[in-house]
Amino acid sequence: MNYTQLVANIQNFLEDDSSELQTSIDEIIDQAEVMIFQRLPNLPCYRKTVTGNMVAGTADYTVPSARMIRQVSVISSNVASYLNHKVDSYIRDYWPNATTQGAPIMYSTKNAGIAGTVVTFAPTPDSTDPYQVDYIAPEEGLSSSNANNWIGDNAENVLLAACLYEASAFLKAGETLALYKTQFDEAVQLTVQEMQRDYAAEYNGGL
């Protein structure tokens, strides 16, 4: 379901072509996509990767746009080693002198801001070996300048139900609000089941 189809479906399902709804549809779609991300953060479209090279003596690295860090690995002599995830206080206690350098074995999520999420390596890197951060972030939302995305193409039942739910709240339509909340919840559960099958190996999962 592309952007144009989604807009038409929202208006048709709710039988409302008012100017108030039309001018708010983009915001309704945006809020619906935010809700989907918060309910289904493990969808494959949200999984992203960034790579770089460590800087000797630098412990903090910013991952642009990251909302959640999945895992961090460091590549040394073509061998990837995954770092253990620890809380920030543990990192400071384990490696109190950040000027002392060594091969990183753990990381923490330090903070997040407009620039992205900051992760801290410990020990403070002593090399320029490559690193890779696998993270989760929203995909580009549907709009007049972005007609298609993964959610619209692969989970249109979730997207449409979420948009109708948000639009019903906007219109203060109690009956359709309850209806589309139920439809959205059911669509989310079906998608969770699909993701569980998608991320499980048939060989040892008994599926």
Side-chain angles (χ1 to χ4, degrees), residues 2-92:
N2 62 33
Y3 171 76
T4 301
Q5 294 168 328
L6 178 59
V7 170
N9 281 332
I10 293 171
Q11 294 173 316
N12 291 337
F13 273 70
L14 294 175
E15 299 180 324
D16 190 314
D17 57 0
S18 65
S19 59
E20 290 83 5
L21 179 61
Q22 290 177 2
T23 57
S24 300
I25 276 186
D26 282 351
E27 181 62 26
I28 287 169
I29 293 173
D30 181 64
Q31 291 300 313
E33 289 173 327
V34 169
M35 184 167 58
I36 293 169
F37 174 79
Q38 292 174 333
R39 292 284 293 273
L40 296 165
N42 284 325
L43 286 176
C45 60
Y46 300 141
R47 295 187 165 209
K48 307 179 190 302
T49 296
V50 65
T51 59
N53 287 83
M54 295 185 294
V55 177
T58 298
D60 293 345
Y61 298 83
T62 300
V63 185
S65 304
R67 292 278 292 274
M68 290 172 271
I69 304 297
R70 292 179 52 224
Q71 55 202 12
V72 179
S73 60
V74 171
I75 299 90
S76 180
S77 300
N78 296 318
V79 176
S81 299
Y82 285 90
L83 307 186
N84 292 315
H85 181 215
K86 301 294 184 181
V87 296
D88 193 47
S89 57
Y90 185 98
I91 293 283
R92 293 194 301 269

Side-chain angles (χ1 to χ4, degrees), residues 178-189:
L179 169 66
Y180 292 124
K181 180 183 186 304
T182 299
Q183 287 193 3
F184 175 66
D185 289 341
E186 290 176 351
V188 166
Q189 289 304 313

Side-chain angles (χ1 to χ4, degrees), residues 62-192:
T62 300
V63 185
S65 304
R67 292 278 292 274
M68 290 172 271
I69 304 297
R70 292 179 52 224
Q71 55 202 12
V72 179
S73 60
V74 171
I75 299 90
S76 180
S77 300
N78 296 318
V79 176
S81 299
Y82 285 90
L83 307 186
N84 292 315
H85 181 215
K86 301 294 184 181
V87 296
D88 193 47
S89 57
Y90 185 98
I91 293 283
R92 293 194 301 269
D93 184 57
Y94 171 79
W95 205 254
N97 186 354
T99 63
T100 304
Q101 300 176 20
I105 61 172
M106 63 184 70
Y107 77 96
S108 70
T109 302
K110 184 176 182 179
N111 55 47
I114 296 175
T117 297
V118 177
V119 294
T120 301
F121 292 177
T124 301
D126 61 355
S127 73
T128 58
D129 286 338
Y131 68 88
Q132 176 174 306
V133 180
D134 299 315
Y135 65 98
I136 290 174
E139 67 172 345
E140 184 179 357
L142 290 176
S143 66
S144 58
S145 59
N146 184 52
N148 293 83
N149 62 13
W150 191 94
I151 295 291
D153 292 344
N154 296 279
E156 61 180 49
N157 61 328
V158 178
L159 176 62
L160 180 57
C163 287
L164 292 172
Y165 177 32
E166 288 290 335
S168 295
F170 170 79
L171 295 170
K172 299 179 178 60
E175 291 184 4
T176 57
L177 180 68
L179 169 66
Y180 292 124
K181 180 183 186 304
T182 299
Q183 287 193 3
F184 175 66
D185 289 341
E186 290 176 351
V188 166
Q189 289 304 313
L190 290 172
T191 305
V192 167

